[in-house]
Amino acid sequence: MDPNVKSEYTPAAEAPEQPTTGANSTETEERIEVVIRDPKDNTVYFQVKTTTRFSKIFTAFFKSCGIPENSMQFTYNGNSVDPNSTVMDVQFSSGDIIDAHAFQSGGYRY
């Protein structure tokens, strides 16, 4: 074959496209709406994946409200929410409300 002649054949041109599935696919990730309500009845809405950790949602809540991190405690259905759990772990449904309460340390015993 003449070295001055360029071949138009490229193996990549004939390779079939691979479907986008697996860990890198975001098309199949379910998104739900998480609602956080503070003590003044202000609500903040977040659209998140079901695999999102609550710590990430809580950090976004603190930033959006302009309050110091870890200054509030969060409850869902009367139970404290573990920041390391995911939305899927607590069987959270779209539109469910998480209540934010001022964090109280210590207290007075009678």
Side-chain angles (χ1 to χ4, degrees), residues 6 13 17 20 24 37 42 45 52 55 65 67 72 79 93 101:
K6 294 183 180 179
E17 288 187 26
T20 55
N24 294 334
R37 181 175 51 203
N42 297 322
Y45 299 85
T52 303
S55 59
C65 293
I67 56 177
M72 300 200 100
N79 299 319
S93 299
H101 308 279

Side-chain angles (χ1 to χ4, degrees), residues 9-108:
Y9 173 76
T10 56
E14 291 185 14
E17 288 187 26
Q18 298 295 323
T20 55
T21 59
N24 294 334
S25 177
T26 57
E27 293 177 16
T28 59
E29 287 283 340
E30 183 182 353
R31 291 185 162 275
I32 65 170
E33 183 177 66
V34 175
V35 181
I36 299 180
R37 181 175 51 203
D38 69 7
K40 297 179 183 177
D41 283 335
N42 297 322
T43 55
V44 181
Y45 299 85
F46 297 98
Q47 289 286 328
V48 298
K49 296 177 187 174
T50 56
T51 56
T52 303
R53 295 201 181 278
F54 279 108
S55 59
K56 188 173 182 179
I57 299 168
F58 297 157
T59 300
F61 173 77
F62 290 129
K63 286 182 181 180
S64 69
C65 293
I67 56 177
E69 285 194 38
N70 300 323
S71 62
M72 300 200 100
Q73 181 176 347
F74 299 92
T75 59
Y76 172 62
N77 288 339
N79 299 319
S80 184
V81 178
D82 179 14
N84 295 321
S85 63
T86 64
V87 174
M88 189 181 342
D89 292 340
V90 296
Q91 299 176 350
F92 199 85
S93 299
S94 188
D96 284 352
I97 297 174
I98 295 176
D99 292 309
H101 308 279
F103 186 74
Q104 179 179 345
S105 61
Y108 181 76

